[in-house]
Amino acid sequence: MKHQRLGRTGLEVSDVGLGTFEWGHRVDAAVAQRLVDEYVDAGGNLIELPSSGVHAAQVLSQLSLPEQIVLVARVGVSMSESSHIEVGLGRARILSQVDALLSATGRSHIDMLILDVFDAVVDRAETASAIDTLLTLGKIRYVGVSHHAGWELAEMRGAGLPIACAIAEYSLLNREAEHDLLPAANYAGVGLIAGAGLGRGVLSDKYRRGTPQDSRFAVGELTDYVGAYLDERATRVLAGVRKAAAALGVTTTDIALAFNRYQGVASSLVSARTPEQMTQLLSSEIELEPEIAEVLDQIS
């Protein structure tokens, strides 16, 4: 698996990152350990916890993780006892959420702390002060942002926050980050980590002949999430991806990940649920020729 520096930092990450949003739900600790072992053996080093990652964090605390793992975790979003979602980047919220993450994962530090929301109310200086405290105490090592537009990324950097990366959904089925976030990140030397790097699983082509019973589309709470990419446009994009895959003798998954690499994405997050899925992902290392990348660019 290829590694590259994240933006202008000294941190190197693998070009495929392991997402964990189904850990604690459809992935238990035993399976998670197998996934991590296979991932690390192939050279992977980035594991990402979702914003509502309590269950995933609890599973993570039961695993044996090598020191080279880069743990990415999020703050800024919380849910009250009444299931009301609260967001914000105030000092108290950030510090308390980091302490909760460290307690839940059993780790002494978080490698990459992601500010998972842009807070237009709290003074950026307060957020920057909280991050500075965490860096000084060694509780975090790097900081990134998610759900930020290009101008919001610029504001955070202007406030003195040492932003190392931006996480945004990015794939052949969703290239919205190219409108303003990606140019802003490139200009600032901020690395891009692609969320849902396989188009929420659709680019694996698993839905070509129907809905597998164990797929995310078949799971009630994820039906709308996946279904948003099972439309006419996605059908056209997938047809082109299949042609490219057939011409190169690879899978659509290979093409999807290769396109992200070609576009300069530092790491594409994927959420393998089984060892079989993980094996397929880890064997994907092809590089696209410019001619093929250009056709895929036009198609999508």
Side-chain angles (χ1 to χ4, degrees):
M1 192 177 300
K2 295 178 176 63
H3 289 71
Q4 52 277 317
R5 286 194 176 185
L6 188 61
R8 293 179 185 159
T9 73
L11 180 64
E12 292 195 352
V13 296
S14 52
D15 61 3
V16 175
L18 180 57
T20 64
F21 81 95
E22 291 194 87
W23 287 17
H25 299 288
R26 296 201 292 168
V27 177
D28 60 23
V31 173
Q33 185 68 68
R34 289 185 61 190
L35 296 177
V36 169
D37 290 344
E38 287 192 26
Y39 177 64
V40 172
D41 287 345
N45 75 339
L46 190 151
I47 294 180
E48 180 249 4
L49 295 175
S51 56
S52 55
V54 176
H55 298 296
Q58 291 173 344
V59 170
L60 187 75
S61 69
Q62 303 173 50
L63 307 185
S64 174
L65 298 177
E67 292 184 2
Q68 68 262 35
I69 285 294
V70 175
L71 179 63
V72 178
R74 303 168 184 253
V75 294
V77 180
S78 60
M79 185 175 293
S80 66
E81 294 182 358
S82 60
S83 297
H84 175 68
I85 296 177
E86 300 175 351
V87 299
L89 295 176
R91 181 180 180 87
R93 183 187 300 275
I94 291 174
L95 297 181
S96 64
Q97 287 191 335
V98 167
D99 284 341
L101 281 167
L102 294 176
S103 176
T105 59
R107 292 172 64 90
S108 62
H109 69 274
I110 294 167
D111 298 287
M112 179 69 68
L113 184 71
I114 301 298
L115 305 178
D116 202 26
V117 63
F118 179 75
D119 191 335
V121 177
V122 172
D123 194 309
R124 246 69 79 202
E126 179 176 334
T127 301
S129 173
I131 294 300
D132 185 62
T133 296
L134 292 168
L135 288 167
T136 301
L137 293 175
K139 292 187 176 182
I140 66 173
R141 295 185 175 175
Y142 292 93
V143 60
V145 296
S146 181
H147 300 110
H148 280 56
W151 71 268
E152 293 169 336
L153 169 64
E155 278 216 9
M156 298 297 272
R157 293 186 70 252
L161 283 151
I163 307 299
C165 76
I167 297 180
E169 185 167 349
Y170 186 82
S171 72
L172 279 160
L173 295 181
N174 186 337
R175 299 175 61 186
E176 291 181 6
E178 294 179 13
H179 295 168
D180 72 334
L181 176 61
L182 190 53
N186 288 339
Y187 178 80
V190 171
L192 179 68
I193 295 178
L198 291 179
R200 306 181 183 182
V202 174
L203 287 168
S204 68
D205 213 15
K206 67 173 67 177
Y207 300 105
R208 184 176 186 178
R209 295 180 175 83
T211 302
Q213 290 303 306
D214 63 343
S215 67
R216 294 185 185 118
F217 188 59
V219 178
E221 65 269 22
L222 297 175
T223 298
D224 291 341
Y225 174 75
V226 177
Y229 288 172
L230 294 175
D231 58 8
E232 185 176 334
R233 175 182 175 274
T235 299
R236 291 197 304 270
V237 173
L238 262 172
V241 173
R242 288 188 197 109
K243 289 181 180 179
L248 296 177
V250 296
T251 68
T252 57
T253 294
D254 293 321
I255 297 296
L257 295 177
F259 181 80
N260 281 10
R261 283 195 292 270
Y262 186 88
Q263 295 292 90
V265 171
S267 186
S268 294
L269 296 175
V270 298
S271 298
R273 197 180 67 255
T274 67
E276 291 74 23
Q277 291 175 345
M278 179 61 72
T279 298
Q280 181 184 14
L281 292 167
L282 297 181
S283 63
S284 180
E285 294 188 350
I286 71 164
E287 298 289 341
L288 294 180
E289 294 296 329
E291 295 80 3
I292 295 179
E294 183 178 350
V295 171
L296 291 169
D297 175 58
Q298 293 172 357
I299 290 172
S300 66

